[in-house]
Amino acid sequence: LKARRDVVVEKLNAIPGIKCFKPEATFYLFPNVTGAMQRKGIKDVEEFRKVCLHETGVSFCTRRHFGRPLPGETEQHVRFAYSGIDLAQINEGMAKLAEFLT
């Protein structure tokens, strides 16, 4: 899991407009995609999720799948899980996502 985490964090942070913290122990990531959404001209995080899935085949959840936004919350986050996917699939998906978002 550590190797998968490190690859996903590295690949996400290489995409303009995405900032991803590297957690110590977990099987998911919660990157900030606000800048990537702005670059694509997308204002709604759920629309961003659907567009990315349609264009790249990469699936992820949004922050809203885990509760309502807090009052004044302006940053947009999504959730990537990497526990059930191998490194080759991770690299393929991250390459497709990077190509679409760059």
Side-chain angles (χ1 to χ4, degrees):
L1 285 174
K2 184 178 177 182
R4 288 182 254 176
R5 176 206 62 195
D6 291 349
V7 168
V8 179
V9 168
E10 176 187 332
K11 302 286 185 183
L12 287 173
N13 281 324
I15 298 172
I18 296 183
K19 294 180 264 180
C20 187
F21 172 78
K22 183 165 79 171
E24 289 298 319
T26 186
F27 59 90
Y28 63 88
L29 301 168
F30 205 54
N32 182 324
V33 296
T34 306
M37 288 175 57
Q38 291 170 347
R39 288 174 53 85
K40 282 300 200 183
I42 299 173
K43 296 184 191 290
D44 180 72
V45 72
E46 180 61 17
E47 179 187 350
F48 179 73
R49 181 192 70 79
K50 289 178 183 178
V51 168
C52 286
L53 177 61
H54 177 74
E55 294 294 327
T56 69
V58 175
S59 177
F60 51 82
C61 297
T62 72
R63 150 74 172 91
R64 294 187 184 152
H65 286 102
F66 301 94
R68 293 184 198 145
L70 299 172
E73 189 174 312
T74 59
E75 301 293 302
Q76 300 297 326
H77 293 81
V78 297
R79 183 180 189 259
F80 282 86
Y82 52 85
S83 60
I85 186 168
D86 65 34
L87 281 172
Q89 293 169 318
I90 288 171
N91 282 311
E92 178 184 356
M94 291 294 99
K96 288 178 180 180
L97 191 63
E99 181 179 347
F100 175 65
L101 293 175
T102 310

